[in-house]
Amino acid sequence: MMEGLRNALADVNRARQTYLTACSAVLESLREVEPELAADISTMWPDDGVAAEWVCSPLDNDLSPIEMVLAGRTDLIQSILLRAGHGF
């Protein structure tokens, strides 16, 4: 019984690490295609890991920032960053 729980937790930890690695790759790719936006994003968080996870996480409109980039809506991300920088 406990072994099954340990295995399930190990699966969750592996999946989480895979997700974080993929988010880091997304942030690196964003730096290539939108370097200014990527720099703005990176300045908002204490480290690249947190910034990378934010880029991949759905926001209020159910789209992640990277999905907004792909949809050509970097203006929305800039607006979010501006509001966050001013504490809104």
Side-chain angles (χ1 to χ4, degrees):
M1 187 119 166
M2 291 300 275
E3 188 62 29
L5 184 57
R6 281 187 191 90
N7 290 339
L9 179 59
D11 289 345
V12 167
N13 289 334
R14 276 191 299 277
R16 175 107 175 112
Q17 187 56 50
T18 299
Y19 173 75
L20 294 175
T21 299
C23 289
S24 292
V26 166
L27 182 58
E28 286 305 312
S29 293
L30 182 62
R31 286 185 172 129
E32 293 174 17
V33 296
E34 291 281 350
E36 186 177 318
L37 179 62
D40 290 345
I41 289 169
S42 291
T43 62
M44 295 297 294
W45 284 270
D47 62 55
D48 277 353
V50 176
E53 194 168 2
W54 181 82
V55 165
C56 294
S57 298
L59 302 177
D60 292 340
N61 60 0
D62 291 331
L63 293 177
S64 66
I66 198 62
E67 290 170 315
M68 289 179 208
V69 168
L70 291 170
R73 298 304 314 264
T74 57
D75 59 316
L76 289 176
I77 302 167
Q78 289 291 3
S79 176
I80 291 165
L81 294 173
L82 184 61
R83 286 191 316 255
H86 292 308
F88 299 120

